[in-house]
Amino acid sequence: MTISLQCYHIFREGFKGLLAREMSNLELVLGALVVVLITSFWRGLVYLTWRPYAITERFKKQGVGGPTGKFWSGSLEEIQSMRMAGRKLILDINSHDITPRVLPHYLKWISQYGETFLYWFGPHPRICITDPELAKQVLSNKFGFFPKVTPIPSVLALFGKGLPFTQGSEWARHRHVISPAFTMDKLKMMTNKMAECAQPMLERWQEQATKTGGQREIEVSSQFQELTADVIAHTAFGSSYAEGKVVFLAQKELQSLAAESILNVSIPGYKYLPTRRNLHKRKLERRVKSTLMHIIQGRLDSKDSSHGNDLLGLMMESCRLDPGQEQKGQILSINEIIDECKTFFFAGQDTTSHLLTWTVFLLCTNQEWQERLREEVLRECGTEIPNADMLSKLKLVTMVLLEALRLYGPVVMMQRNAAKDMTLGNLVIPKNTRLTIPIVIIHRNKEVWGADADEFNPLRFKNGISKAAKHPNALLAFSIGPRACIGQNFAMLEAKTVTAMILQRFTLSLSPNYIHAPVEMLTLRPQYGLPILLSPLNV
């Protein structure tokens, strides 16, 4: 009994000691947690209150003003309000000043604060750069001082982390693998395939016009999207529109989701929540990935030892386990190939389809230029399917395409981030300030392009791009510098091919049902489509 009692006391004292130690440890953990929470709260408070004040004051001392933003949202409410009002505007078909529709807030703030101004997009400061020389310095920088801004999750789901969104050595590795697919020699070989893809669409138009007595209204913007999707599927991935249709349709939905969320404040961790939008986005991502894997697997299962010399083939060749190449760091993983496929499936069809759409719109509203282009096409190509040599002689067609890119380029605005405190012209840009380059405004700057900057005048490009304006780098439709669009020659060649083939066969005029309402959905497009009247030529 005495021994049992002693054991009980020993156990009780041991338990008390253990409990005391555990309580002490718990207090330490709780104390550390409180310190972390207080520190995080303080950092958040500084980030959301003191930082905006300090940066705003820093720019004020440099003579740069801007709208007063609200806590957390900055100027987002004002931007959203003006953008919604802008979308209700219907422009005259001869008006090419689309700024009031697509960038109304920039128009207002430039009139209030000058061409360089500061505004807040949520908790992020943005400085507007409209001087072509400063834009050139930002875009041409080769040292990573002005990297691209990390995209929001919905945009990343659409494009993947392909060439446009990689940085530094990772970008160089991707570019090294992909660039051989876009040499001019390779592109010239693609001309016949581009024409083959366009032929069924034009034959369908001919048949429809004939059935209706020689003229037919056709909404061409959606058909151009299908055509350019078919071209990129054939030329870059060795598939077809029918095979890649699942990807294109899913990416179209992802594009709508991205456009809807582009003006939302990004909340950390929100993309992981099981919301209806997030679940739908993940479903679309899985659909795109599985379809692309099917296309890649088909190439892997091919008996041909080479994977082909198109874009997909070059990427897959880089994926082979070559020890020497692995040491050089030039191999792309399967997931990286899938991301590049996402990028080029979307960008390869979206950019060119809208370039074709706006070119046809401008030819419909400028009949004298349509006739001049047709004369050039028939003189150089006759009624034959144009080849690369014929296309190289179409100088007027090139000028019209460049003017279409100036007035209705695919991208309305570009962004870069200051990687550290930087001096740009007379400005000192604090680290992590985002620089916005409003292409739409720069392309309409009368001091740069002349008094007719708002007018359609392809002759400004008669001596080439560098002499079209007072600044040699004023045309920014495909960007400039090391991060310029790698597919710009592909897009121009395809647009030339299709435009020439259309002009060989039809006269074009604008349908009375057309509503001139350009809208930005990540890229610039006609909000209500482009219905035109087609009449076959008797040649």
Side-chain angles (χ1 to χ4, degrees):
M1 185 71 177
T2 305
I3 294 173
S4 299
L5 191 59
Q6 286 176 346
C7 289
Y8 168 74
H9 286 302
I10 292 169
F11 175 78
R12 187 179 66 175
E13 292 303 318
F15 180 76
K16 282 182 179 181
L18 179 62
L19 187 61
R21 284 195 298 274
E22 290 299 324
M23 289 297 291
S24 178
N25 290 338
L26 183 60
E27 287 172 2
L28 287 172
V29 171
L30 289 174
L33 184 60
V34 168
V35 169
V36 170
L37 290 174
I38 291 173
T39 303
S40 300
F41 176 77
W42 176 250
R43 285 178 180 170
L45 196 62
V46 168
Y47 184 80
L48 294 172
T49 56
W50 170 253
R51 179 171 166 270
Y53 170 78
I55 290 177
T56 300
E57 287 300 309
R58 191 169 174 181
F59 275 111
K60 273 185 181 178
K61 290 177 182 177
Q62 301 180 69
V64 177
T68 303
K70 292 184 178 180
F71 177 79
W72 178 253
S73 65
S75 297
L76 270 175
E77 287 182 23
E78 189 176 1
I79 294 171
Q80 290 168 345
S81 175
M82 284 191 281
R83 289 280 291 259
M84 286 179 66
R87 281 203 173 196
K88 295 176 183 177
L89 294 175
I90 303 299
L91 303 179
D92 183 271
I93 59 169
N94 295 308
S95 171
H96 304 305
D97 185 9
I98 64 175
T99 315
R101 272 191 61 88
V102 297
L103 286 179
H105 49 302
Y106 275 66
L107 207 58
K108 177 183 176 182
W109 293 335
I110 285 175
S111 68
Q112 290 178 330
Y113 308 107
E115 291 192 341
T116 302
F117 59 86
L118 173 75
Y119 71 101
W120 289 81
F121 191 91
H124 305 293
R126 291 186 175 184
I127 187 82
C128 174
I129 303 295
T130 57
D131 183 337
E133 179 56 32
L134 297 183
K136 174 195 168 187
Q137 291 178 32
V138 171
L139 298 172
S140 298
N141 186 275
K142 297 179 181 179
F143 305 105
F145 296 152
F146 297 106
K148 288 194 171 186
V149 175
T150 302
I152 60 174
S154 55
V155 171
L156 204 57
L158 172 63
F159 281 92
K161 196 179 179 184
L163 193 64
F165 297 125
T166 51
Q167 308 283 3
S169 59
E170 189 180 1
W171 170 80
R173 178 166 56 86
H174 282 242
R175 177 100 182 185
H176 179 87
V177 170
I178 291 165
S179 57
F182 292 95
T183 61
M184 282 310 298
D185 288 341
K186 283 272 178 66
L187 294 179
K188 287 178 181 178
M189 292 168 60
M190 297 179 187
T191 308
N192 287 340
K193 181 59 69 175
M194 293 173 177
E196 284 177 23
C197 292
Q199 195 79 21
M201 179 189 76
L202 299 176
E203 289 174 356
R204 193 165 60 248
W205 289 3
Q206 184 88 30
E207 183 181 345
Q208 291 172 350
T210 303
K211 283 182 179 178
T212 54
Q215 190 178 71
R216 177 66 182 257
E217 179 178 295
I218 294 178
E219 198 292 297
V220 294
S221 64
S222 59
Q223 298 206 29
F224 284 150
Q225 287 180 38
E226 288 191 13
L227 167 62
T228 53
D230 196 28
V231 169
I232 194 68
H234 272 99
T235 57
F237 301 102
S239 60
S240 65
Y241 173 72
E243 191 174 10
K245 189 174 181 180
V246 174
V247 175
F248 295 122
L249 292 177
Q251 286 191 318
K252 205 168 183 178
E253 285 192 66
L254 285 168
Q255 184 179 15
S256 296
L257 291 175
E260 289 170 8
S261 59
I262 203 78
L263 290 179
N264 295 339
V265 177
S266 182
I267 301 172
Y270 178 78
K271 66 178 180 179
Y272 300 109
L273 297 178
T275 64
R276 181 179 297 179
R277 178 187 295 269
N278 285 344
L279 291 173
H280 184 51
K281 176 168 68 69
R282 289 170 200 161
K283 181 181 177 182
L284 293 170
E285 285 185 273
R286 287 194 298 270
R287 191 180 302 167
V288 169
K289 185 173 182 178
S290 64
T291 305
L292 292 175
M293 272 304 302
H294 177 73
I295 294 173
I296 292 170
Q297 192 61 47
R299 193 73 66 97
L300 289 171
D301 293 341
S302 171
K303 295 179 181 179
D304 191 350
S305 59
S306 169
H307 292 310
N309 62 355
D310 57 9
L311 176 62
L312 180 58
L314 288 170
M315 289 193 294
M316 291 179 66
E317 282 296 322
S318 77
C319 195
R320 291 189 177 193
L321 296 177
D322 183 300
Q325 199 175 32
E326 188 174 10
Q327 289 174 3
K328 295 176 186 177
Q330 303 301 344
I331 291 180
L332 293 184
S333 69
I334 287 294
N335 284 332
E336 286 175 325
I337 290 176
I338 289 172
D339 277 346
E340 291 296 355
C341 288
K342 287 182 186 179
T343 296
F344 286 99
F345 256 105
F346 177 75
Q349 62 89 18
D350 193 72
T351 301
T352 315
S353 70
H354 297 315
L355 173 55
L356 283 168
T357 296
W358 292 118
T359 299
V360 167
F361 163 73
L362 290 167
L363 292 177
C364 286
T365 53
N366 294 273
Q367 289 291 322
E368 70 284 1
W369 272 98
Q370 184 181 150
E371 287 306 314
R372 290 178 70 174
L373 261 62
R374 183 174 292 107
E375 288 174 11
E376 181 183 62
V377 169
L378 293 176
R379 182 176 67 249
E380 302 297 344
C381 309
T383 57
E384 297 178 33
I385 293 176
N387 58 39
D389 291 334
M390 294 174 182
L391 293 172
S392 67
K393 298 174 183 177
L394 301 181
K395 307 301 181 186
L396 293 178
V397 174
T398 301
M399 285 189 266
V400 167
L401 290 171
L402 291 173
E403 185 71 339
L405 286 168
R406 185 184 73 85
L407 292 172
Y408 298 95
V411 179
V412 169
M413 179 180 68
M414 287 186 288
Q415 288 187 61
R416 293 293 186 270
N417 194 51
K420 61 178 185 176
D421 286 1
M422 294 295 301
T423 298
L424 185 66
N426 296 323
L427 289 176
V428 177
I429 312 289
K431 180 182 177 180
N432 290 331
T433 300
R434 297 185 179 182
L435 298 94
T436 63
I437 302 170
I439 299 173
V440 165
I441 291 172
I442 293 174
H443 282 184
R444 287 161 178 76
N445 188 330
K446 293 182 179 179
E447 293 181 6
V448 176
W449 293 95
D452 64 348
D454 288 329
E455 300 172 19
F456 175 72
N457 178 19
L459 287 176
R460 71 179 84 247
F461 291 101
K462 65 182 177 181
N463 296 316
I465 294 174
S466 63
K467 295 181 180 178
K470 292 181 181 178
H471 193 283
N473 301 110
L475 186 69
L476 298 172
F478 290 117
S479 189
I480 57 173
R483 302 300 298 256
C485 175
I486 196 172
Q488 57 183 300
N489 290 329
F490 179 95
M492 288 294 287
L493 188 65
E494 182 181 354
K496 262 190 182 183
T497 303
V498 177
T499 300
M501 292 178 71
I502 290 173
L503 291 172
Q504 284 176 323
R505 293 161 173 78
F506 304 99
T507 59
L508 318 169
S509 58
L510 207 57
S511 166
N513 296 320
Y514 174 71
I515 299 171
H516 194 33
V519 64
E520 183 197 14
M521 292 275 293
L522 299 187
T523 50
L524 188 71
R525 64 189 61 203
Q527 186 171 342
Y528 304 104
L530 178 61
I532 66 169
L533 300 175
L534 282 173
S535 297
L537 285 172
N538 297 316
V539 293

